[in-house]
Amino acid sequence: MAKKIDPCTLVLFGASGNLSRVKLMPGLFRLDAAGRLPDHMAILSVGRGEVSREAWQADIKSMLDAKFKNGYDKAVFDRFIARNHYHANPPTDPNAFNKMKTSLSDANVFPQNLAYFLSVRPTDFAPIVEQLSGAGLLDESKYWRRVLIEKPFGTNLPSAQALQTSITKHLKESQIYRIDHYLGKSALQNIMLTRFANTMFEPIWNNQYIDHVQITNNEILGVGDRTEFYNNTGALRDMVQSHLLQTLALVAMEKPKDLSPDSIRAEKIKLLESIRPLPVNEIHKNAFRAQYAAGRVCVADGHGENVAGYLDELARDGVTESVTETYAALKLFIDNPRWKGVPFYVRTAKRMHEGNTAVSIRFKKAPMQLNNEQHQNWLTLNIQPRECIKMEIESKIPGLDIATRTLSIDGPQRQQGDESIDSYESLLLNLMEGDSSLYLHISEVEAQWRLIDPIVKAWAEDKSSVHQYRAGNRDPEESSVIFDSKDQFWRYSIELGGDKH
Ligand SMILES: NC(=O)c1ccc[n+]([C@@H]2O[C@H](COP(=O)([O-])OP(=O)(O)OC[C@H]3O[C@@H](n4cnc5c(N)ncnc54)[C@H](OP(=O)(O)O)[C@@H]3O)[C@@H](O)[C@H]2O)c1
């Protein structure tokens, strides 16, 4: 059911940037087309350069044209474009934020509840909040003020805490919306619903029945032209610290007492804080890293394409050595009674043979073992590209003999005619609704960095050459060092009979 949204103005910093062009403006347009934006809602884009309103509106049109190749409704476009304004905020002008306040004070044009979306470089988050506060633009005495902070929130625990200290001089926790856009994905939200809106899963969702859990994000893509960003970040910080640990929290948390933002986040915080830190002297047994070497990957039309290795791509940009991982796999344990002894394998990699994001759960051996061929049950919650729930069970092969084979029950989450919502669309809507359940609490961010920082440090200090895997292949064999038992192996997306590796 649609929640009520107060009349408001979305103030978009970094509106000319890549994220805004590809996701935010098209997302806002689609929300408008779906009738989800309130009548009294304006968008003020803020950028460093002087741009006329007309030129900015023409730029927005080019963003929509690029996104919606099949065209769009003229009446919706006219309504949407009329919501859009531009304000130049040159960094050299000490009075820039006061001028913005003057512009925003025209209540006929700009509804006075203000949501600021900081789609800018992470180093600009704190200075913008400080300047908004200096101009009195965060004062909630009459209207609400919310600030959305893009990812990443810090690059380690100290920097996240420093950012938190800096922004909480001006903002209450309830005003801060820390984004992890994964949480906006419907298939991710489905993890919680699958668990708690069905009777059959909860009784077996524990160490008595579950052998291990795999949380995977594999990509066919390489780092592309983002070599500098990627080499300073790596797979662990880019994917595991936020997206994959959040996925793990949704898989493993206890049932929240209700669906309020505070209750959901309280359970996620508890879970994240109970993940056991990797012992510093045993990181090599519990974490594996690698870099892709040259190889051949599958491209959109099903053909193969030869691609360069990560170190070659860096060399092209003048970087001669790097230990930054493009493959990261961790084994984590959760110190609570439900999950005692169950390994959670979390892995992410670029340039793999397939692109897939999934939670795969393997159950323990069945009470009746007919022969050595019998597979253990798997439940897969596939997040992308296919959103589906897949269950593998053993079933009798019809005939005279007693023998089983694996039967796959594959339930697509998406049915014909279902809405296709980009994660940023739901998150933008939640920001305006004041619903922070899909945003991160600072305690979640801190718990995630606390877990990841020692691994990042150990890997950065270990200058021995990093294992190379051929682009387009499956996980490197050597990654199996982290498995808890010899019969565990990496699970891939759609193959039937998971035990056939
Ligand atoms: N792109 C994505 O898919 C993605 C995904 C996840 C997270 N994020 C996060 O979202 C934020 C925005 O990402 P983005 O890819 O859109 O960034 P971007 O394209 O590099 O730039 C965003 C905006 O920041 C302003 N800007 C750029 N350089 C600047 C400078 N030197 N000084 C002051 N302002 C500058 C520019 O606006 P003006 O020139 O108009 O001032 C630019 O439009 C970042 O925090 C990023 O980490 C992005």
Side-chain angles (χ1 to χ4, degrees), residues 153-165 446 449-450 453:
F153 196 92
T155 52
N156 52 25
L157 182 61
S159 61
Q161 288 175 328
L163 176 57
Q164 173 72 359
T165 304
E446 287 181 340
W449 282 127
R450 207 168 276 125
D453 278 356

Side-chain angles (χ1 to χ4, degrees), residues 13-24 46-49 51 56 86 89 91 117-125 149-152 179 181 226 229 238 243 424:
F13 286 86
S16 62
N18 177 56
L19 182 66
S20 165
R21 305 190 84 83
V22 177
K23 296 280 187 184
L24 307 182
V46 181
R48 291 166 300 164
V51 182
W56 180 240
Y86 183 87
N89 216 356
F117 194 127
L118 308 193
S119 180
V120 291
R121 296 172 309 171
T123 47
D124 291 331
F125 296 154
I149 311 266
E150 250 302 335
K151 175 180 174 277
I179 206 163
H181 69 263
R226 297 161 77 221
F229 160 79
D238 191 33
H243 304 324
Y424 274 99

Side-chain angles (χ1 to χ4, degrees), residues 177-439:
Y177 288 67
R178 297 175 198 81
I179 206 163
D180 177 338
H181 69 263
Y182 251 52
L183 294 178
K185 289 182 191 297
S186 141
L188 217 73
Q189 293 157 27
N190 189 37
I191 294 174
M192 198 170 74
L193 292 184
T194 300
R195 286 189 58 192
F196 301 125
N198 293 291
T199 317
M200 60 192 282
F201 295 116
E202 193 52 19
I204 55 170
W205 214 259
N206 54 50
N207 60 0
Q208 201 184 334
Y209 295 98
I210 291 180
D211 175 73
H212 74 273
V213 178
Q214 297 186 19
I215 295 172
T216 303
N217 170 269
N218 283 339
E219 294 174 61
I220 293 175
L221 290 175
V223 300
D225 54 11
R226 297 161 77 221
T227 47
E228 188 184 346
F229 160 79
Y230 199 86
N231 205 36
N232 290 327
T233 307
L236 204 51
R237 281 194 283 195
D238 191 33
M239 288 303 302
V240 178
Q241 183 272 339
S242 186
H243 304 324
L244 299 191
L245 288 181
Q246 279 294 318
T247 310
L248 188 155
L250 290 170
V251 172
M253 71 185 198
E254 297 300 316
K255 185 172 87 55
K257 79 174 188 310
D258 52 44
L259 288 181
S260 70
D262 285 350
S263 303
I264 294 173
R265 298 202 302 190
E267 289 306 336
K268 282 202 288 158
I269 293 167
K270 247 190 269 168
L271 190 284
L272 289 164
E273 289 180 346
S274 50
I275 301 175
R276 189 187 310 160
L278 295 194
V280 177
N281 54 355
E282 289 191 358
I283 284 181
H284 61 287
K285 283 194 210 158
N286 297 289
F288 182 83
R289 69 171 166 177
Q291 295 170 329
Y292 60 82
R296 194 168 173 80
V297 294
C298 191
V299 287
D301 59 2
H303 289 96
E305 181 184 301
N306 292 333
V307 293
Y310 178 61
L311 293 178
D312 304 325
E313 290 173 327
L314 289 182
R316 244 182 265 148
D317 293 342
V319 178
T320 51
E321 56 188 44
S322 167
V323 292
T324 300
E325 73 288 353
T326 62
Y327 177 105
L330 306 182
K331 175 171 61 186
L332 299 171
F333 287 97
I334 297 166
D335 281 331
N336 68 17
R338 183 194 283 267
W339 295 116
K340 190 166 187 282
V342 177
F344 282 73
Y345 298 109
V346 176
R347 87 194 201 269
T348 181
K350 291 196 172 289
R351 288 285 189 229
M352 295 294 279
H353 72 293
E354 68 173 7
N356 198 53
T357 303
V359 176
S360 298
I361 298 169
R362 187 170 85 165
F363 289 86
K364 292 196 167 166
K365 284 207 164 95
M368 185 184 284
Q369 291 293 313
L370 298 179
N371 55 44
N372 290 340
E373 293 294 298
Q374 190 174 318
H375 295 151
Q376 286 163 250
N377 301 129
W378 284 89
L379 175 71
T380 296
L381 306 170
N382 216 73
I383 293 161
Q384 64 188 26
R386 274 189 72 210
E387 298 161 86
C388 68
I389 298 180
K390 203 172 105 147
M391 209 186 292
E392 288 177 5
I393 59 173
E394 290 299 287
S395 173
K396 184 179 181 317
I397 303 172
L400 295 175
D401 298 325
I402 295 291
T404 61
R405 65 183 165 207
T406 306
L407 184 74
S408 177
I409 303 170
D410 188 333
Q413 193 197 343
R414 187 161 294 284
Q415 297 185 359
Q416 210 175 3
D418 281 349
E419 282 182 301
S420 161
I421 307 281
D422 184 79
S423 51
Y424 274 99
E425 290 167 36
S426 31
L427 291 165
L428 279 161
L429 205 58
N430 290 165
L431 171 69
M432 292 182 272
E433 289 166 347
D435 179 347
S436 55
S437 25
L438 299 181
Y439 287 88

